[in-house]
Amino acid sequence: SQQGEEDPQALSIQEGENATMNCSYKTSINNLQWYRQNSGRGLVHLILIRSNEREKHSGRLRVTLDTSKKSSSLLITASRAADTASYFCATDDTNQGGKLIFGQGTELSVKP
Amino acid sequence: GAVVSQHPSRVICKSGTSVKIECRSLDFQATTMFWYRQFPKQSLMLMATSNEGSKATYEQGVEKDKFLINHASLTLSTLTVTSAHPEDSSFYICSASETVLPAQHFGDGTRLSIL
């Protein structure tokens, strides 16, 4: 079942601005991952944050995790037109044998 | 990085045809592969988990006789959509995971259109 809810569903910003996407989940997790999907393509793994971590950085990406609120956020700083894509969070449910449960996704559009 | 190749990228065929989709891990051994289905503007829905050398585990509501999965080697899993009908038209994506890392590596998907 899909447990992740993301907001906003769609986000449109100008190049250079920051983009923040949020994800909520319902069960206990081992880790939470963020993926990117360009239109009509497969998913690309961006970053993984473990349940005992609170924040992680990778280049222009910053991910936070609040297990007490069962939520995570993905921040993309200094966005570029090439960042235009759909972004999905996915949780590794401790009771699901390692299967990933994907959120509904945020469609990000970065205008040049 | 780990590369997963999915083939074909697009299939258009008549109703009643069976379609086979291949998913290969090119530079790593994948003990587990996953098959997803994605409708336009929606998230990925897990269809089944495929482990090398054993029967696939299907998610609730997925017909195992309709969607045949074979994972004969550590680098290849196939999904066969049997007697496909227009309602089977969708974007099918596979992924593979290495034994140690929890991240999944995705193929580029197959767009299946049944006329």
Side-chain angles (χ1 to χ4, degrees), chain B residues 72-90:
Chain B
S73 76
L74 284 172
T75 59
L76 174 64
S77 176
T78 61
L79 167 68
T80 301
V81 184
T82 62
S83 187
H85 292 287
E87 58 265 29
D88 298 322
S89 298
S90 191

Side-chain angles (χ1 to χ4, degrees), chain A residues 2 31 33 35 37 40-43 45 48 50 88 92 98-100 102-104 107, chain B residues 34 36 38 41-46 49 59 91 93 102-104 106-109 111:
Chain A
Q2 295 292 328
N31 62 72
Q33 303 176 43
Y35 288 83
Q37 183 182 33
R41 303 294 297 275
L43 276 70
H45 180 260
L48 178 151
R50 301 192 185 279
F88 294 92
D92 182 2
K99 292 188 298 187
L100 290 184
F102 283 86
Q104 294 304 307
E107 195 170 334
Chain B
F34 303 88
Y36 297 87
Q38 185 179 34
K41 303 287 187 181
Q42 293 191 26
S43 186
L44 279 71
M45 296 290 294
L46 180 64
T49 301
E59 294 299 299
F91 192 55
I93 310 176
Q104 292 184 17
F106 284 80
D108 263 348
R111 184 159 304 284

Side-chain angles (χ1 to χ4, degrees), chain B residues 42-114:
Chain B
Q42 293 191 26
S43 186
L44 279 71
M45 296 290 294
L46 180 64
M47 299 175 65
T49 301
S50 168
N51 291 296
E52 185 264 339
S54 62
K55 289 183 180 180
T57 302
Y58 290 82
E59 294 299 299
Q60 192 172 7
V62 177
E63 299 176 60
K64 60 181 180 181
D65 294 331
K66 173 78 171 176
F67 300 99
L68 300 178
I69 291 172
N70 184 277
H71 193 161
S73 76
L74 284 172
T75 59
L76 174 64
S77 176
T78 61
L79 167 68
T80 301
V81 184
T82 62
S83 187
H85 292 287
E87 58 265 29
D88 298 322
S89 298
S90 191
F91 192 55
Y92 294 87
I93 310 176
C94 72
S95 72
S97 63
E98 300 173 75
T99 52
V100 177
L101 301 176
Q104 292 184 17
H105 308 288
F106 284 80
D108 263 348
T110 297
R111 184 159 304 284
L112 176 62
S113 299
I114 308 298

Side-chain angles (χ1 to χ4, degrees), chain A residues 17-84:
Chain A
E17 294 180 338
N18 296 340
T20 299
M21 290 160 267
N22 303 295
C23 166
S24 62
Y25 58 92
K26 298 176 183 175
T27 65
S28 297
I29 62 171
N30 294 313
N31 62 72
L32 186 144
Q33 303 176 43
W34 285 89
Y35 288 83
R36 165 198 169 122
Q37 183 182 33
N38 283 28
S39 180
R41 303 294 297 275
L43 276 70
V44 175
H45 180 260
L46 295 176
I47 195 165
L48 178 151
I49 185 166
R50 301 192 185 279
S51 60
N52 61 353
E53 297 176 310
R54 293 294 167 259
E55 188 171 312
K56 202 161 183 180
H57 297 254
S58 177
R60 293 184 295 114
L61 305 180
R62 173 176 162 249
V63 168
T64 63
L65 179 64
D66 187 335
T67 52
S68 67
K69 295 181 180 178
K70 289 185 165 57
S71 67
S72 174
S73 68
L74 170 67
L75 168 68
I76 303 175
T77 60
S79 64
R80 305 166 182 168
D83 294 329
T84 295

